[in-house]
Amino acid sequence: MRIVAALGGNALLQRGEHPDAAVQSRHVHDAARSLAELVTAGHEVVITHGNGPQIGLLAQESESDPALTAPYPLDVLGAQTQGMIGTLLARELMGRLPGRAVTALVTHTEVDRRDPAFQRPAKFIGGQLTGEQARTMEVERGWTTARDGTCMRRVVPSPQPKAIVELAAVRALLAAGTVVVAAGGGGVPVTRDPDSGRVRGVEAVVDKDLTAALLARRLDADALLILTDVTHVFTGYGTTHPRPLATVTPATLRALDLPEGSMGPKAEAAAGFAERTGRIAAIGPLDNALGTLLGTTGTTVRAAVEGGRAASGATAAGDLAVAHTTA
């Protein structure tokens, strides 16, 4: 099977941890074990990852660097995070998959300059600001800021992904038997000039789960795995009676009141992939990617269920388990 596995930000940093290289390397070490199990089970694997803490850190460093006349733009910082996270993942996977080619590919994601998101920035990035700091940044650097809890933070556009620029390269690497790390952080956001075809970076951040779903569709992937720090999608999450969901339809998933800043985009990406392709998506724990694929953990999303089998050509988790045990 061809699988796109999207790692949540917890793959590298958990809330409250210092963003040190040693901390991130330790988390990648653990994530690579889970991902390697997919490869050794005989699957083609493309890995995407988040970069929220990392791009925020680089943005803060760039903004405070006295050697710079202006901070580096977000598209360039996004590319830097792809290189940093990509090399950590690639090296760990090489160690766990001796003899197997592993490549981390700097990947660009095309967006539409007319996307409404450019007029309504809403994606938080960077550290906390006081009200006075926020006003200063708005005047001096043209930032848009918004309240995040008790503080102010910078917000930037998060347009919808339209195309993966390096899609042909990812296909070629897969055909050569390579494990590919691509489209990290949602991809480096670019627009394309309709006349010259030239791509230009834009000051934005693309949602990594939506990019992972687009990449999975364009690669004709059999499954999209969104791996995070919870075992399932829950109803009543955070209450005294949370209930894990094993199998849901896109409509059921969309009807849940899920947080926009965390599970909401993951749910939309999984629902959209299952709906458009008739194949499975699953949201599950980072430390058990194979179990999430097989349906022994995590929440499996199917377009519909008829008579115990997935409709529209989707593959039921039980079928996957049989295919795995008989391969």
Side-chain angles (χ1 to χ4, degrees):
M1 294 178 63
R2 177 171 290 180
I3 298 162
V4 171
L7 311 187
N10 58 292
L12 290 173
L13 280 175
Q14 297 178 0
R15 187 177 295 275
E17 289 184 321
H18 290 288
D20 298 333
V23 174
Q24 300 187 58
S25 295
R26 185 173 67 250
H27 287 308
V28 170
H29 176 83
D30 295 337
R33 175 198 56 75
S34 178
L35 294 167
E37 290 177 351
L38 292 173
V39 180
T40 55
H43 301 297
E44 292 183 330
V45 179
V46 178
I47 301 159
T48 72
H49 57 79
N51 72 342
Q54 292 76 25
I55 196 169
L57 175 65
L58 291 180
Q60 286 180 289
E61 291 177 347
S62 182
E63 291 151 16
S64 61
D65 191 336
L68 299 176
T69 58
Y72 275 86
L74 287 177
D75 57 303
V76 175
L77 296 179
Q80 290 180 16
T81 65
Q82 285 192 17
M84 176 176 66
I85 298 169
T87 192
L88 293 175
L89 281 167
R91 285 185 289 183
E92 281 293 336
L93 287 167
M94 287 175 190
R96 292 183 177 275
L97 301 167
R100 189 67 179 265
V102 182
T103 296
L105 182 68
V106 173
T107 313
H108 299 78
T109 299
E110 185 179 342
V111 301
D112 190 339
R113 189 65 206 187
R114 298 166 297 181
D115 192 303
F118 286 104
Q119 305 304 317
R120 296 191 295 273
K123 180 76 170 180
F124 287 110
I125 187 171
Q128 299 178 350
L129 303 169
T130 64
E132 183 178 350
Q133 288 173 325
R135 288 188 293 272
T136 299
M137 292 302 180
E138 289 173 356
V139 172
E140 293 184 356
R141 295 183 179 164
W143 285 8
T144 301
T145 63
R147 183 162 297 280
D148 183 16
T150 60
C151 66
M152 302 294 288
R153 292 179 68 194
R154 183 186 181 188
V155 287
V156 300
S158 185
Q160 293 287 313
K162 285 181 54 184
I164 308 297
V165 176
E166 288 80 9
L167 182 65
V170 176
R171 284 188 179 276
L173 288 166
L174 283 174
T178 304
V179 178
V180 186
V181 182
V188 178
V190 295
T191 57
R192 189 179 296 275
D193 185 278
D195 298 319
S196 67
R198 181 178 178 179
V199 296
R200 301 178 185 274
V202 292
E203 195 78 346
V205 174
V206 185
D207 183 85
K208 61 96 178 170
D209 293 309
L210 297 182
T211 296
L214 175 64
L215 180 63
R217 295 199 308 271
R218 296 292 184 262
L219 289 174
D220 302 314
D222 299 290
L224 169 66
L225 304 183
I226 298 178
L227 304 173
T228 184
D229 57 353
V230 296
T231 58
H232 296 78
V233 177
F234 290 84
T235 58
Y237 186 75
T239 70
T240 56
H241 296 94
R243 183 172 67 87
L245 299 174
T247 305
V248 295
T249 64
T252 300
L253 194 58
R254 288 193 175 106
L256 300 175
D257 185 19
L258 299 172
E260 283 300 318
S262 55
M263 189 57 74
K266 296 175 176 59
E268 179 55 39
F273 177 79
E275 211 167 45
R276 294 188 185 194
T277 66
R279 297 169 183 170
I280 70 160
I283 301 171
L286 177 63
D287 62 359
N288 195 354
L290 188 58
T292 301
L293 175 67
L294 299 178
T296 58
T297 188
T299 299
T300 301
V301 187
R302 300 196 197 101
V305 178
E306 296 177 357
R309 292 186 61 84
S312 304
T315 306
D319 297 333
L320 285 173
V322 171
H324 174 67
T325 56
T326 58

